[in-house]
Amino acid sequence: MNWPLVPQQLITGILNGGVIGLIALGIVLIYKSSEVFNFAHGHMVMWGAFLTWWFAGAAETGSELLNLPLWAAVMGALAVSVLLGLLIERMALRPMTGQPLLSIILMTLGLAQLLEGLASIAFGVEPKSNFPAPFSPGDVLVIPFPGAFGDAIRLKYTLVVAFGVALLGALLLIWFFNRTRTGLAMRATSENHEVAQSVGINVSRVFALSWALAGMVATLGGVLMAILTGVSLNLATVVLVAFPAILLGGLESLGGAVLGGVLVGLSQALVQAARPIEVRNSAEIAPYILLLIVLIIRPEGLFGQKRIERV
Amino acid sequence: MAIIRPAGDFDRTYPQDMALLRQPWHYGLLALALVAAYTMPLWGNAYLVSTAHRIAYTVIAVQGLNLLTGYTGQISLGQAAFMMVGGYISALLVKHAGLSFFLALPLAAVGTGIVGLLFGLPSLRVKGFYLAMATLAAQFIIPWLSRHIFTDYLGGSSGAIEVPVPQIGGFRITEVNHFLYISLTVLLITTVAVYNISRTRLGRALVSIRDNDLAAELLGVNLFTYKLRAFFIAAMLAGVAGALKAHSQRGVGTEFGYSLTDSIFFLGMLVIGGLGTNLGPFLGVAFVLLLEDLADLVGAGLAAQLPPEFAASLLTSFRPIFFGLMLMLFLIYEPRGLAHRWQILKAAWRLRPFSK
């Protein structure tokens, strides 16, 4: 290990992980209400980022008319992504109710391909570097830390703010699921559709609502990712690390998803502090190695429930 | 799969019951199809031959996936990565160990099977979505390894190595025409193998695991070994397909695809063709690959009409759109795939004029 780099990477990893955790929450959200593993979530994240970029006035798409400030662009993207979420639920997932797991997973995979193709038609295939950034790259928070590289930890404002927003979003969601009627209705629906219906929960409305909500969470995550890394079609693959995150945390647990995200972020950042170049380059697969280890040692994740199955 | 037969068509002897081809005209049809396929280089054009070759090796990979996902019910998102392993093993054996391609091919199959076993190990404890994640990990880890370890042998960051063409004696198989003979022959062997696996003890055990794993265990099916066998055979067939692909493209590595998208396409082909049927891989692969070519044609045609800045995105976007839409439509309207449609068609033909 390259010890002087460790403190810096530790903090960066946690901050990055918060954003991954928020994206993972979108997947857990869908799972908790409808037991669907949404492999298209990465593409919804990408769409959120692209929509924001488009609303913010991108020269290439010829939408200088809109040229909105970032917050307004995010609002616009959120509105569109709610519609997108509702549309996906109505057109793709509603007909799949009661189908086996494999079919539903394949449906979301097909959806992911469709969203990818549509995004490349709508926004073009080139990566966009002109995402509206709230801070310039030079805005750095310097925390003195003796022993670290350069005796200080440097944090980009962007990263700190992204983490803050992600954490706020995560807390809001956790509160929503534990304290509001609608959130509790979603959890009940996830347990058993028929029982939920018999106590007066409108199950189809719960599904629609959870997809709309997932669309919003995805867009928020997409904006945060875009601020950190820029927008490209590749974003959908990058945020697939949210899947290891939810497995680490356990599928049922919202807090676990956030913690899983942080662990994923840490694993990606800490390998970069290692000395051998092979290990340093392994940031993109570190979460998946972690995933394999967890699957073998503790398949239900850190906070998941162990389910007993009957024949 | 319940076989619907016309009234009065019974099996009277065990050989009749076990026959793959029951009617004399089945043999005739098979012979005709084989002759048509093998003489394709003589009468077909270059596009037809190369497409037939592409279909042949893709069918082999999808047959493997069918055993694992269709029969055993274990979702795998890593079939493309296993194909790459097969390609690499075969290429390195021919290139550095000086083996003949025809010896390297089975070795690549076994080697890939062992790699498949490694990633099948979590299947003992997890299933469904969790297993999909384990294979997803394979799909990310294997291509990464190919780019970062043993860079002298595996091509390093360029993501590709050259692969020598196979030789028989002094004859170098360089043309796709000749490659078609190899891939067709291999396809024939794997088809017979898969067909027989699916209707014997192994295949029935796999189906019982898919339908209810706890019940299967109570009936004496050892879940762990049978699941691992399914993983081994699936990876083996992927390895064979990968070796065929690598040698005909004369290169292997991340440059040549083998991505997560490919793995998803294999799954999609399987569903479109028909999960858990032996006809499914053939129908699905042919359908999707031909559809892709159509998508390219449509995309190119549209791109020619539009300003160049849109052309590039149109060309790349039609493939996923066509595929995604088709997969979703099949899942909603015909989840049992084209193979089921074919059965319905056959039954309707027999029951004519009383089919509904």
Side-chain angles (χ1 to χ4, degrees):
Chain A
M1 283 302 248
N2 200 346
W3 289 110
L5 277 181
V6 170
Q8 167 81 50
Q9 292 295 348
L10 206 65
I11 304 288
T12 316
I14 291 174
L15 296 187
N16 264 325
V19 179
I20 297 170
L22 181 68
I23 293 166
L25 271 184
I27 302 170
V28 176
L29 177 75
I30 295 288
Y31 178 73
K32 274 185 92 81
S33 65
S34 54
E35 297 218 330
V36 169
F37 302 104
N38 184 14
F39 275 95
H41 195 73
H43 288 80
M44 288 167 71
V45 168
M46 177 189 77
W47 264 84
F50 266 119
L51 282 171
T52 310
W53 168 83
W54 190 80
F55 274 117
E60 294 161 56
T61 50
S63 70
E64 293 93 336
L65 285 175
L66 282 164
N67 226 344
L68 299 171
L70 184 58
W71 64 269
V74 172
M75 288 299 155
L78 283 177
V80 178
S81 63
V82 164
L83 291 180
L84 187 71
L86 288 175
L87 195 71
I88 289 173
E89 195 274 332
R90 191 68 196 82
M91 304 303 291
L93 273 310
R94 182 89 50 98
M96 301 303 289
T97 316
Q99 295 285 324
L101 176 79
L102 175 67
S103 308
I104 292 175
I105 286 184
L106 277 164
M107 175 55 94
T108 63
L109 286 172
L111 195 65
Q113 291 292 318
L114 185 66
L115 286 177
E116 167 140 8
L118 290 178
S120 71
I121 279 196
F123 307 111
V125 281
E126 302 86 15
K128 319 292 180 208
S129 52
N130 55 349
F131 194 83
F135 305 101
S136 78
D139 289 341
V140 172
L141 194 68
V142 182
I143 306 166
F145 191 93
F149 181 74
D151 279 336
I153 297 173
R154 287 173 185 75
L155 295 175
K156 286 183 190 158
Y157 275 171
T158 349
L159 195 57
V160 177
V161 170
F163 180 75
V165 173
L167 206 62
L168 197 68
L171 287 177
L172 263 176
L173 272 181
I174 292 172
W175 172 79
F176 171 78
F177 264 103
N178 287 323
R179 289 283 180 274
T180 64
R181 272 193 95 78
T182 326
L184 289 172
M186 282 185 182
R187 286 172 60 187
T189 313
S190 149
E191 280 300 320
N192 191 323
H193 296 180
E194 279 177 31
V195 172
Q197 209 144 25
S198 70
V199 295
I201 293 167
N202 187 339
V203 170
S204 45
R205 216 182 64 198
V206 163
F207 285 174
L209 202 63
S210 63
W211 277 89
L213 204 57
M216 287 175 72
V217 174
T219 298
L220 196 58
V223 171
L224 298 181
M225 283 303 285
I227 289 174
L228 296 175
T229 64
V231 197
S232 70
L233 290 173
N234 201 17
L235 198 60
T237 317
V238 173
V239 301
L240 270 185
V241 293
F243 277 99
I246 58 172
L247 277 197
L248 284 176
L251 280 172
E252 271 90 10
S253 166
L254 289 165
V258 179
L259 198 71
V262 169
L263 284 177
V264 163
L266 271 179
S267 74
Q268 284 183 319
L270 282 180
V271 291
Q272 291 178 30
R275 287 225 185 264
I277 180 131
E278 286 86 3
V279 180
R280 244 184 296 151
N281 281 333
S282 69
E284 53 183 298
I285 60 160
Y288 294 98
I289 295 174
L290 200 62
L291 163 83
L292 276 182
I293 297 170
V294 170
L295 273 185
I296 290 168
I297 297 173
R298 199 182 154 82
E300 69 274 9
L302 298 175
F303 302 99
Q305 298 162 3
K306 222 173 193 165
R307 298 222 172 212
I308 297 167
E309 243 178 281
R310 294 181 187 86
V311 177
Chain B
M1 184 174 55
I3 299 165
I4 311 159
R5 288 192 197 166
D9 184 4
F10 303 118
D11 293 326
R12 292 180 183 77
T13 58
Y14 280 118
Q16 256 181 354
D17 192 30
M18 295 199 306
L20 278 176
L21 303 168
R22 290 182 304 107
Q23 305 283 351
W25 59 271
H26 282 162
Y27 283 96
L29 212 60
L30 179 69
L32 207 66
L34 283 180
V35 168
Y38 273 97
T39 55
M40 189 178 274
L42 301 179
W43 51 265
N45 57 14
Y47 165 77
L48 214 56
V49 173
S50 68
T51 306
H53 173 59
R54 223 154 31 105
I55 290 179
Y57 70 68
T58 314
V59 168
I60 297 173
V62 176
Q63 276 176 336
L65 192 63
N66 189 23
L67 265 183
L68 186 60
T69 305
Y71 282 110
T72 324
Q74 315 289 311
I75 306 167
S76 168
L77 286 170
Q79 195 73 349
F82 293 135
M83 260 180 94
M84 183 158 90
V85 174
Y88 264 117
I89 293 178
S90 170
L92 293 176
L93 282 177
V94 174
K95 208 170 162 184
H96 296 289
L99 287 183
S100 152
F101 167 72
F102 298 96
L103 204 60
L105 186 67
L107 284 177
V110 174
T112 314
I114 292 168
V115 176
L117 279 187
L118 275 181
F119 284 96
L121 280 179
S123 73
L124 172 65
R125 296 192 59 181
V126 299
K127 58 184 179 183
F129 169 71
Y130 292 89
L131 191 65
M133 294 312 299
T135 52
L136 182 70
Q139 182 62 60
F140 278 96
I141 291 171
I142 291 173
W144 184 89
L145 287 178
S146 83
R147 272 183 285 114
H148 289 93
I149 59 166
F150 301 121
T151 46
D152 295 343
Y153 289 101
L154 301 184
S157 54
S158 74
I161 60 168
E162 273 187 38
V163 177
V165 293
Q167 276 183 316
I168 309 176
F171 181 68
R172 288 160 53 82
I173 301 170
T174 49
E175 283 181 51
V176 69
N177 280 358
H178 302 137
F179 242 106
L180 182 66
Y181 298 131
I182 302 179
S183 54
L184 279 179
T185 311
V186 176
L187 176 61
L188 202 62
I189 297 169
T190 58
T191 305
V192 173
V194 166
Y195 217 104
N196 280 325
I197 287 173
S198 71
R199 63 195 196 125
T200 47
R201 186 187 174 85
L202 176 57
R204 288 197 301 267
L206 297 183
V207 170
S208 72
I209 293 175
R210 173 191 70 191
D211 289 346
N212 194 322
D213 53 348
L214 290 179
E217 197 168 19
L218 287 174
L219 290 171
V221 174
N222 186 334
L223 286 190
F224 189 45
T225 59
Y226 274 99
K227 277 183 183 175
L228 283 188
R229 273 184 233 187
F231 265 96
F232 184 76
I233 299 170
M236 238 174 87
L237 290 178
V240 170
L244 288 173
K245 180 180 175 179
H247 283 274
S248 60
Q249 290 187 330
R250 299 192 202 172
V252 63
T254 45
E255 274 281 285
F256 292 89
Y258 305 105
S259 59
L260 176 61
T261 316
D262 283 9
S263 285
I264 295 173
F265 265 64
F266 290 152
L267 270 177
M269 288 169 182
L270 185 56
V271 168
I272 289 173
L275 271 168
T277 61
N278 287 317
L279 195 59
F282 287 90
L283 296 177
V285 169
F287 184 80
V288 171
L289 284 184
L290 294 177
L291 193 77
E292 270 180 25
D293 287 346
L294 181 71
D296 283 349
L297 268 181
V298 173
L302 274 179
Q305 313 287 322
L306 289 169
E309 58 262 33
F310 286 113
S313 50
L314 265 182
L315 277 174
T316 49
S317 57
F318 264 67
R319 192 171 167 242
I321 289 180
F322 266 52
F323 172 77
L325 264 184
M326 207 44 73
L327 179 55
M328 290 164 71
L329 290 177
F330 262 94
L331 281 169
I332 295 175
Y333 295 108
E334 186 51 282
R336 282 183 283 184
L338 287 170
H340 182 63
R341 279 282 138 190
W342 173 241
Q343 292 292 343
I344 292 176
L345 203 69
K346 277 204 299 193
W349 174 253
R350 282 200 194 102
L351 298 175
R352 168 188 56 90
F354 299 112
S355 54
K356 56 167 170 125

